[in-house]
Amino acid sequence: MAKKINLLAWFIICHFGNIADALCTLYAVSKGVEELNPLMAWLISFSPTVFIATKLLIFTFAIDILARRRPSWLLWVGILYLSVVAWHLSFIFYL
């Protein structure tokens, strides 16, 4: 039971990390930072709402598949997203 709770916690951390990454990305782009992912850059220029919706939808499907097939990898995805958010926060106040 404790392992399932632990995996659920990392699953939720992954989602919050993705949402924080999307919001920080939009903020940074609004201040002149360039999005390096060409697909996401195009989506942002098309519509920030479409960018958020697409990012959340793709990530939701991907993390759901990962949680079912390789649940132990949720920890590493969560750490990766926490690192990305920490990176955003390291420079976002200087924009």
Side-chain angles (χ1 to χ4, degrees):
M1 182 68 165
K3 184 174 180 167
K4 286 186 179 184
I5 292 173
N6 190 21
L7 291 175
L8 178 62
W10 281 108
F11 183 79
I12 292 168
I13 287 169
C14 290
H15 279 287
F16 279 121
N18 184 47
I19 293 166
D21 175 41
L23 295 175
C24 288
T25 298
L26 283 179
Y27 178 77
V29 168
S30 75
K31 297 296 183 181
V33 175
E34 181 182 350
E35 169 64 51
L36 296 178
N37 180 331
L39 173 63
M40 292 299 163
W42 179 81
L43 287 171
I44 290 170
S45 68
F46 180 73
S47 166
T49 304
V50 172
F51 163 75
I52 293 282
T54 303
K55 185 165 175 52
L56 295 179
L57 185 66
I58 290 171
F59 185 80
T60 299
F61 283 127
I63 205 71
D64 186 53
I65 291 169
L66 184 70
R68 291 171 192 254
R69 296 192 180 182
R70 300 272 193 258
S72 62
W73 290 13
L74 288 173
L75 167 76
W76 300 109
V77 173
I79 289 171
L80 174 69
Y81 266 96
L82 290 176
S83 300
V84 168
V85 171
W87 176 75
H88 274 295
L89 294 176
S90 73
F91 73 82
I92 207 161
F93 297 109
Y94 297 107
L95 298 177

